[in-house]
Amino acid sequence: MSFFVNLVTLNCWAIAQPWPFGSKDRKERLKRLVDALEESDYDIVTLQEIWSEKDFDKISTNLAHVYPYSHYFHSGFTGSGTCILSKYMIVSTLVHRYSLNGFAHHIHRGDWFGGKVVGLAELNVKGLRVAIYTTHLHAEYNRDNDLYLPHRISQAFELAQFLDHTSRSSDFVILTGDFNIEPEDLGYHIIAKIANLEDAWLKRPSTHGSNDNGMTCDRPDNCYTNKHQLKRWPEGKRIDYIMYQSGKKHIELVECLTCLDKIPGSKLNYSDHIGLHAKFKISTG
């Protein structure tokens, strides 16, 4: 016996007013995201940077007929920004707030006020225990003078430990989110090695000459990309991930693709990031 599970993750860049650095076109982009998810065949959706719980309530209410189960992970002054929508029943949830989250006096950065977390939702997927994690680590801001690198490394270590200790009884484990870490960075290897995870993008089957390079942020084709970033990263950066671990069952990664890029019929993108989608085949026999 086997069946498929489709999952998508997206950093929505939905900073709401009255925060002084509100995201451009937030309401229109979220409305169009709801439309896209309503027409999709995703089973599980994880989102980051939904900083307003009112935005989450609107999204989950409008999509309740498609995703009857949802959860917002609370933290900090503005909320953690992370949430999950699911066609499968959410059995339990757990959240861990990272020990280091930036600096309170850096009011021009929102990381401390959001109180970055990793959220866990345990799902009942046709009788299997599936652990879905969603997280958003501290932003980098300046790679050459990264004041927050120790914070992000600490978060990566706590994330890996949290996942390792809370997933041992699960049949299948999926970690999603915006890590603000590139594949060559130490934090990436801490997460992958300690938690024993596979990177879905690297493990994807051959795409037969596809032009999809997997970059999820600061892409040259995204209308919200700061053009100064392109001087250093002309193709963009890969900082959003789906990682997975097969527990007690055989898991086959069928595909992994970027998605939720340009809004159809619009000059806008869904976010300053694009989404990442993975399809898994789960064999229970």
Side-chain angles (χ1 to χ4, degrees), residues 103-115:
F103 304 106
H105 64 284
H106 286 193
I107 59 174
H108 58 303
R109 310 296 189 195
D111 302 82
W112 185 87
F113 295 92

Side-chain angles (χ1 to χ4, degrees), residues 111-131:
D111 302 82
W112 185 87
F113 295 92
K116 299 294 181 67
V117 306
V118 51
L120 160 63
E122 184 182 72
L123 308 184
N124 182 337
V125 180
K126 300 188 177 182
L128 300 182
R129 298 180 66 177
V130 178

Side-chain angles (χ1 to χ4, degrees), residues 207 209-214:
T207 53
S210 170
N211 292 324
D212 191 348
N213 61 10

Side-chain angles (χ1 to χ4, degrees), residues 11 48-49 51 82 98 101 111 116-118 135-140 151-159 177-181 187-188 191 239:
N11 178 321
Q48 302 84 43
E49 288 208 27
W51 293 115
T82 58
Y98 297 122
N101 263 314
D111 302 82
K116 299 294 181 67
V117 306
V118 51
T135 193
H136 183 199
L137 303 189
H138 199 294
E140 185 175 70
H151 295 236
R152 201 160 48 257
I153 294 296
S154 172
Q155 289 176 350
F157 182 66
E158 287 185 25
L159 166 62
D178 173 6
F179 295 178
N180 280 308
I181 291 172
Y188 172 95
I191 294 168
I239 59 176

Side-chain angles (χ1 to χ4, degrees), residues 87-208:
K87 293 181 178 178
Y88 296 107
M89 181 183 294
I90 298 176
V91 178
S92 64
T93 61
L94 185 64
V95 65
H96 170 71
R97 183 174 177 176
Y98 297 122
S99 301
L100 296 179
N101 263 314
F103 304 106
H105 64 284
H106 286 193
I107 59 174
H108 58 303
R109 310 296 189 195
D111 302 82
W112 185 87
F113 295 92
K116 299 294 181 67
V117 306
V118 51
L120 160 63
E122 184 182 72
L123 308 184
N124 182 337
V125 180
K126 300 188 177 182
L128 300 182
R129 298 180 66 177
V130 178
I132 305 294
Y133 297 82
T134 180
T135 193
H136 183 199
L137 303 189
H138 199 294
E140 185 175 70
Y141 297 115
N142 184 345
R143 193 167 181 85
D144 296 322
N145 184 25
D146 190 358
L147 298 175
Y148 310 103
L149 177 60
H151 295 236
R152 201 160 48 257
I153 294 296
S154 172
Q155 289 176 350
F157 182 66
E158 287 185 25
L159 166 62
Q161 284 196 314
F162 179 79
L163 194 146
D164 182 49
H165 287 291
T166 58
S167 66
R168 295 178 182 178
S169 63
S170 300
D171 294 305
F172 185 28
V173 176
I174 304 177
L175 169 63
T176 70
D178 173 6
F179 295 178
N180 280 308
I181 291 172
E182 296 179 72
E184 66 270 21
D185 292 343
L186 174 61
Y188 172 95
H189 296 283
I190 289 174
I191 294 168
K193 298 299 182 182
I194 293 179
N196 191 28
L197 297 169
E198 301 282 4
D199 185 336
W201 182 258
L202 298 182
K203 291 295 182 178
R204 72 195 189 284
S206 173
T207 53
H208 303 293

Side-chain angles (χ1 to χ4, degrees), residues 8-32:
V8 67
T9 187
L10 175 68
N11 178 321
C12 296
W13 188 47
I15 305 171
Q17 299 291 355
W19 193 260
F21 308 106
S23 303
K24 295 179 180 178
D25 310 308
R26 181 185 112 258
K27 291 184 179 180
E28 173 65 15
R29 291 187 291 105
L30 291 181
K31 178 179 180 298
R32 299 299 292 272

